[in-house]
Amino acid sequence: MSKYFFKPEFNNLSQGERLRFVRELRYMSKQNVAEFLELGGEKPTDSIDKYERNAREPQAERLEDLAELFDVSNYAIRRYNFVDPNEVIYYHMQEVK
């Protein structure tokens, strides 16, 4: 199937899932993201894997870099507590921008 018709789907609203979603929406691999962030080591994609599995949370600076790379608002990928109704309302208010 052509990537032209590809549309990723959400499994949940966690930060990691939103990061995975927007990465796939932009047709980027984990390797592309690791190169942009200048991650080193034996397996530079490990950090990206951990972010997307919610095993690790990106620091504020890294989150800003990811938002810039994906061309989205910082609010679209920051961590929210969706159990708290105020967080849900705040998230939707930021979508309107």
Side-chain angles (χ1 to χ4, degrees):
M1 180 179 219
S2 170
K3 283 189 173 184
Y4 182 77
F5 298 105
F6 174 76
K7 180 182 173 195
E9 294 183 13
F10 278 110
N11 295 318
N12 58 54
L13 290 175
S14 69
Q15 181 181 38
E17 182 66 14
R18 286 180 279 126
L19 286 168
R20 181 203 58 82
F21 176 84
V22 73
R23 177 181 59 77
E24 290 180 359
L25 189 66
R26 301 289 189 236
Y27 297 103
M28 292 182 188
S29 68
K30 292 177 184 175
Q31 185 64 39
N32 297 140
V33 177
E35 288 172 8
F36 177 83
L37 298 175
E38 298 177 353
L39 301 176
E42 284 184 36
K43 209 166 176 210
T45 59
D46 275 350
S47 290
I48 310 306
D49 284 332
K50 289 177 182 176
Y51 295 157
E52 292 184 4
R53 287 181 297 143
N54 293 304
R56 184 173 171 188
E57 184 175 350
Q59 294 182 357
E61 244 180 58
R62 177 68 43 91
L63 200 59
E64 288 176 20
D65 292 340
L66 288 167
E68 177 186 333
L69 171 65
F70 297 140
D71 193 28
V72 296
S73 166
N74 211 2
Y75 294 105
I77 57 174
R78 74 167 242 197
R79 182 173 297 280
Y80 288 96
N81 175 10
F82 288 111
V83 175
D84 179 0
N86 292 321
E87 288 285 323
V88 174
I89 292 168
Y90 180 75
Y91 179 76
H92 287 295
M93 288 173 60
Q94 292 302 319
E95 280 183 340
V96 174
K97 281 185 172 182

